[in-house]
Amino acid sequence: MRPRLRPTLTGACCLLAVLALLATAINYGNNLVFFLAFLLLSLWLQGAWSCWRNLAGLGWQPAPGLAGFAGSRLELGGHPLPGSGRSHRQLRLAQGRGRLGRPLFLGPALDLNETASPEHQTGRLGLSLPCPPRGRRQIDALQLCSTYPLGFWQARLPLPPLQVWAYPQPEAGAALPGESPNPAHRHQEADDFQGLRPYAPGDSPRRINWRVFSRREELAVNSFDGGRGGQTLWLDLARTSGDLEARLSRLAGQVLEAEHQGREYGLRLGAWSCPPGRGPRQRQRCLEALAGYGAEQP
């Protein structure tokens, strides 16, 4: 897709200044004013070509796993891919259009000065938007913008819609439910990490989590199951109360809290269940299931 070009407010004022200089030069027969008028006009025309060329040939690769929490901010990002082997300057990621064609949301500028291959490009464009209601959502009207080099023109390169996940807004201070007697993993997985507990006199210094101490300035000890099999932490929609959105919000808060504590947890939403686990992949899977519950099958 080719960039679209239109003059900015500064560019429109520049053109009016050219017309005023030409009228003055014709009225008084002044060659110096003619020179200034045509010099400014040449800069105005050259700015249009340079601005259009700055976006021509660009590709776009969105960042994987774009997601946010409903009611907060959604951080979009991706990598522009220069396919022409030249530099691109003052690139911005934008969304929507307001009055006078200005974007409703505009990200910070980025220069791509390197001519490396796309897989070696490290430039990243970002944009912060209000997160839509929970579910699988589509973000439209995205575009790459630039007013390079003089700000007389604005070039816009439309981008394909992005699919993002809007997770339920997590409930603040959501307490974890009681544990189930079922083992969270196989018994032969001895000394599996179960989480953190406060330090008690007599605990081995080798079990102290010094990273937690550097953040909280309190001693915490890594807890292991010793081969007995840990306790399953099941987060169950049926065990929560309130309306659907409040229950999903509480479960989202419990997922984040369990992940923060390093616990192994599973999720049940009616007949669907996610096996116990932990880590970024488990967190993403559970939050996506909560986001799609009621609108899409998890």
Side-chain angles (χ1 to χ4, degrees):
M1 190 173 293
R2 294 186 176 183
R4 300 172 182 174
L5 196 64
R6 66 177 300 162
T8 62
L9 182 60
T10 304
C13 292
C14 176
L15 185 59
L16 290 177
V18 170
L19 297 177
L21 287 173
L22 286 175
T24 302
I26 293 173
N27 186 43
Y28 291 99
N30 192 315
N31 292 332
L32 180 59
V33 179
F34 270 117
F35 172 76
L36 291 177
F38 286 115
L39 176 62
L40 189 57
L41 181 61
S42 65
L43 291 176
W44 189 77
L45 294 175
Q46 180 60 32
W49 164 248
S50 299
C51 186
W52 184 89
R53 187 173 182 270
N54 190 45
L55 287 186
L58 273 178
W60 175 253
Q61 179 180 345
L66 294 176
F69 292 98
S72 59
R73 304 296 293 181
L74 175 63
E75 302 297 331
L76 300 181
H79 301 272
L81 303 176
S84 56
R86 62 174 183 268
S87 299
H88 302 265
R89 300 181 180 276
Q90 298 180 17
L91 302 177
R92 294 175 182 267
L93 183 62
Q95 195 262 345
R97 285 188 297 172
R99 294 181 179 178
L100 301 177
R102 299 182 62 184
L104 295 176
F105 301 98
L106 190 65
L110 171 72
D111 290 345
L112 292 182
N113 298 319
E114 301 179 359
T115 57
S117 57
E119 58 269 16
H120 293 93
Q121 291 291 341
T122 57
R124 178 183 175 88
L125 285 174
L127 182 63
S128 180
L129 302 175
C131 190
R134 71 172 182 90
R136 185 68 166 171
R137 303 301 177 184
Q138 179 173 290
I139 306 298
D140 298 311
L142 289 175
Q143 53 198 330
L144 288 178
C145 294
S146 178
T147 56
Y148 177 83
L150 299 175
F152 292 161
W153 296 84
Q154 182 189 74
R156 299 194 305 270
L157 181 65
L159 300 177
L162 289 183
Q163 298 291 332
V164 301
W165 279 104
Y167 302 146
Q169 179 65 32
E171 181 183 278
L176 295 179
E179 296 178 347
S180 165
N182 300 322
H185 52 78
R186 299 177 180 177
H187 287 272
Q188 57 264 33
E189 295 179 358
D191 293 330
D192 195 16
F193 180 72
Q194 292 296 295
L196 300 173
R197 61 175 177 82
Y199 173 82
D203 286 333
S204 173
R206 293 180 298 178
R207 295 291 180 93
I208 297 177
N209 193 313
W210 297 107
R211 292 184 179 179
V212 174
F213 177 75
S214 65
R215 295 195 304 265
R216 307 179 186 174
E217 296 186 357
E218 60 182 27
L219 290 176
V221 180
N222 295 328
S223 177
F224 298 87
D225 63 16
R228 294 179 293 108
Q231 301 298 318
T232 303
L233 180 61
W234 280 106
L235 310 178
D236 197 338
L237 182 66
R239 298 175 62 184
T240 59
S241 58
D243 61 85
L244 178 61
E245 295 301 324
R247 296 160 71 188
L248 295 176
S249 176
R250 186 172 302 112
L251 288 175
Q254 291 175 349
V255 167
L256 298 183
E257 180 62 23
E259 196 66 41
H260 176 71
Q261 296 184 15
R263 299 289 300 275
E264 197 170 66
Y265 59 94
L267 178 66
R268 289 196 183 106
L269 298 176
W272 181 89
S273 64
C274 176
R278 62 170 174 267
R281 184 68 188 93
Q282 177 76 357
R283 173 183 178 274
Q284 178 183 356
R285 186 180 182 188
C286 292
L287 290 178
E288 288 180 359
L290 293 173
Y293 185 79
E296 302 173 1
Q297 284 295 331

